[in-house]
Amino acid sequence: MNAPTSVIHIENLTYAYGRGSEAIDNFNLRVEAGRCYGLFGRNGAGKTTAIKCLLNLLRPERGHVRVFGIDPGKHEVEVKRRLTYVPDQVSFYPWMTIRETLDYLASFREHWNAATEQELLRRFHLDANRRAAALSKGQRTQVALIAAICPEPDLLLLDEPTSGLDPIVRREFIETVIGAYQEGNPGNRTILVSTHLISEFEGLIDEFTIMDRGRGLITLRADEARDRYKRIRARFSQSAPELDLSMALHVRRAGRELDVIVNGGGREVMDRLLKYNPEALTTEALTLEEIFVATSRDQETLNGPAVLENP
Amino acid sequence: MLIQINYKSGKPVYVQVVDQVKAASASGALKPGEALPCIRPLAEELRVNRNTIAKAYSELENMGVIETIPGKGCFLKHNNSPLRKDVRRKMLIEEIDQAIVQAHHLQVSRDEFLEAVRQRLAVFDQKRRASEDRED
């Protein structure tokens, strides 16, 4: 038996500026079945371009793109029948009601889970007789997400699904939708979500890639990331000692305190700090959002003015 | 039983769920035969991936802490850990070792550490008594 095919496999993808899309440079991505995968990056990092290449909405200049092992450039319909896509801006025909909109979208699909549809309409308090024109942005996104999961696709592509929404609204529904989607067949329900609102997705993401200026910076499993990236704080009775912490990602000193961020090697940093008898020494994991900030900041240090002092 | 996820702890999320179910069972917050929350509602409440909860539950089932009754859900097993006593002891020693290393890093002295263990044991005893009283 062959090894299972990755649901998404992108290799050395390159797409240049100039046609209104963000550039991508030698980007790699591999998403296995059943994962909830996060594609993190600032606006303009290239997240949307990567997703559009999966959908054959953009043609890559160079590189290899496979979805379910199939080339979307050659077999677009074959790929699209097995996935659904929610872009960051959703629009419906304004004259249609929610009921008509869902029926219209269902007509393109081989399969539609009406029970899930009913459950989510009820949970979101959506009146199926309302016209699309009368819906708020949050409600439009809710309808789009319902329409995306009812066909029970093998892959759900979400491009900035919660941006521009009221935080209270999005807190409530993103996990509801993802939970409903995964419920039926968890091993085969795969999600790729692009976002810069990382804290919203902290617990949902199994694995992620951080993109910056068209390139992949890091790819890690979420648990592994929180294990490796640590913030260590030490306070000393006198001003903080000068010591070699070159293995740290960032070191910030403020009087008697040292604030160190590490990517692995936390134990060693702690041991070195302990030799100077700190009054207090604490360590905590970085959240995914903090890891995103720390790694992006790292890039700025490499590419531009150093924003951090290193002892 | 209330479960709380702390991303700052650096512990994998499913391990946090496993540990808290075990702690709830040790303190009496969860009693033998009592049902655990279902996977999907718990995942939604904690805002985590359902696969994470599923992984935690299957781990707990493998350890013999809980059992799944098809169509009914997961329940805390009646206190009969299938692990042999020396294996259980070894598992516990690993945890104690971690706490000792942590105490060293936090510059907690041996006496303070032992006192903290005694205090925690007393807290758990108290919780267990309180939940037994409610039962009666």
Side-chain angles (χ1 to χ4, degrees):
Chain A
M1 217 177 91
N2 294 329
T5 318
S6 304
V7 173
I8 295 175
H9 185 195
I10 293 179
E11 242 174 35
N12 305 320
L13 178 68
T14 297
Y15 186 91
Y17 283 110
R19 277 176 282 171
S21 293
E22 313 143 356
I24 283 192
D25 181 24
N26 261 318
F27 179 66
N28 298 302
L29 183 73
R30 198 186 260 275
V31 180
E32 307 299 340
R35 295 287 159 82
C36 185
Y37 199 103
L39 192 54
F40 301 152
R42 298 177 182 177
N43 293 325
K47 308 184 295 289
T48 299
T49 305
I51 289 177
K52 285 185 172 169
C53 288
L54 296 172
L55 294 160
N56 200 36
L57 292 171
L58 292 176
R59 294 281 193 138
E61 259 125 74
R62 253 187 314 116
H64 171 95
V65 177
R66 292 289 180 276
V67 184
F68 316 114
I70 306 169
D71 181 355
K74 292 204 180 90
H75 305 283
E76 186 176 332
V77 175
E78 190 53 35
V79 167
K80 284 188 175 168
R81 73 201 299 172
R82 293 176 61 186
L83 63 77
T84 54
Y85 165 55
V86 180
D88 59 339
Q89 297 284 343
V90 289
S91 45
F92 299 116
Y93 292 117
W95 63 86
M96 283 188 187
T97 63
I98 293 179
R99 178 74 271 140
E100 287 163 344
T101 304
L102 291 171
D103 288 345
Y104 173 69
L105 293 168
S107 71
F108 295 95
R109 294 285 170 178
E110 287 159 50
H111 170 77
W112 191 267
N113 187 331
T116 300
E117 181 204 274
Q118 284 307 309
E119 182 204 328
L120 290 179
L121 285 174
R122 187 173 45 75
R123 288 193 58 173
F124 294 152
H125 307 292
L126 287 169
D127 172 3
N129 298 318
R130 294 247 351 241
R131 290 197 187 281
L135 300 177
S136 68
K137 181 161 199 263
Q139 290 171 324
R140 279 208 304 277
T141 306
Q142 286 172 337
V143 173
L145 288 168
I146 292 172
I149 68 164
C150 287
E152 303 190 320
D154 295 327
L155 172 63
L156 177 60
L157 292 172
L158 304 175
D159 192 4
E160 298 277 0
T162 58
S163 68
L165 298 182
D166 175 345
I168 309 282
V169 175
R170 63 186 183 229
R171 260 193 78 94
E172 282 175 7
F173 71 73
I174 197 68
E175 56 267 13
T176 305
V177 169
I178 288 181
Y181 170 61
Q182 290 178 323
E183 186 66 5
N185 184 2
N188 277 321
R189 302 275 164 95
T190 312
I191 301 156
L192 176 70
V193 53
S194 95
T195 187
H196 64 277
L197 299 166
I198 297 162
S199 59
E200 301 280 319
F201 293 90
E202 179 90 40
L204 294 168
I205 296 295
D206 303 314
E207 199 175 349
F208 63 92
T209 290
I210 294 178
M211 281 189 91
D212 185 63
R213 284 167 254 199
R215 285 174 305 134
L217 282 188
I218 56 170
T219 292
L220 277 176
R221 286 187 302 106
D223 282 336
E224 192 190 341
R226 286 185 288 255
D227 185 46
R228 282 176 43 175
Y229 285 84
K230 295 259 154 77
R231 160 169 278 128
I232 299 166
R233 285 199 176 105
R235 194 181 66 240
F236 300 87
S237 52
Q238 316 276 291
S239 72
E242 298 288 331
L243 72 163
D244 175 21
L245 292 173
S246 50
M247 67 289 228
L249 204 54
H250 298 296
V251 180
R252 198 170 60 84
R253 37 176 71 242
R256 297 192 293 128
E257 294 186 28
L258 272 181
D259 183 359
V260 185
I261 291 179
V262 296
N263 169 16
R267 272 280 168 255
E268 201 190 336
V269 170
M270 299 267 281
D271 286 342
R272 286 195 191 187
L273 288 167
L274 272 172
K275 292 202 183 104
Y276 294 85
N277 294 316
E279 283 180 357
L281 183 63
T282 59
T283 178
E284 62 180 25
L286 296 192
T287 62
L288 298 186
E289 182 151 31
E290 289 168 327
I291 292 169
F292 172 61
V293 171
T295 48
S296 314
R297 198 163 58 165
D298 202 29
Q299 282 300 296
E300 267 166 25
T301 323
L302 291 175
N303 297 323
V307 286
L308 293 142
E309 35 175 324
N310 249 315
Chain B
M1 181 188 54
L2 278 174
I3 293 180
Q4 273 185 327
I5 300 301
N6 175 11
Y7 295 109
K8 295 268 174 197
S9 75
K11 242 192 225 174
V13 178
Y14 83 93
V15 175
Q16 295 187 37
V17 175
V18 166
D19 288 353
Q20 289 183 44
V21 171
K22 289 200 290 193
S25 124
S27 72
L30 192 64
K31 293 196 174 63
E34 250 184 319
L36 275 80
C38 295
I39 291 178
R40 190 171 149 198
L42 182 61
E44 278 186 35
E45 185 193 319
L46 299 177
R47 314 193 66 223
V48 304
N49 196 306
R50 73 166 303 288
N51 297 345
T52 305
I53 305 293
K55 187 172 174 186
Y57 279 15
S58 77
E59 186 102 351
L60 285 163
E61 192 164 14
N62 289 338
M63 291 175 186
V65 177
I66 65 169
E67 61 188 331
T68 304
I69 299 174
K72 287 198 167 166
C74 295
F75 299 86
L76 191 70
K77 261 186 147 175
H78 290 273
N79 205 9
N80 48 356
S81 174
L83 299 171
R84 293 206 330 273
K85 196 171 178 198
D86 54 331
V87 179
R88 294 202 305 252
R89 201 182 146 78
K90 193 165 155 275
M91 281 169 65
L92 182 62
I93 283 174
E94 280 172 20
E95 302 274 334
I96 294 174
D97 285 356
Q98 277 193 14
I100 291 173
V101 170
Q102 189 67 9
H104 169 72
H105 282 304
L106 298 175
Q107 299 183 299
V108 174
S109 75
R110 172 185 295 255
D111 289 343
E112 284 173 290
F113 180 76
L114 290 173
E115 182 50 34
V117 171
R118 253 181 242 116
Q119 275 181 16
R120 295 312 299 166
L121 283 171
V123 168
F124 276 95
D125 282 347
Q126 210 175 359
K127 277 191 195 163
R128 195 180 335 219
R129 271 199 300 275
S131 71
E132 276 165 10
D133 287 350
R134 269 200 305 279
E135 190 94 318
D136 297 338

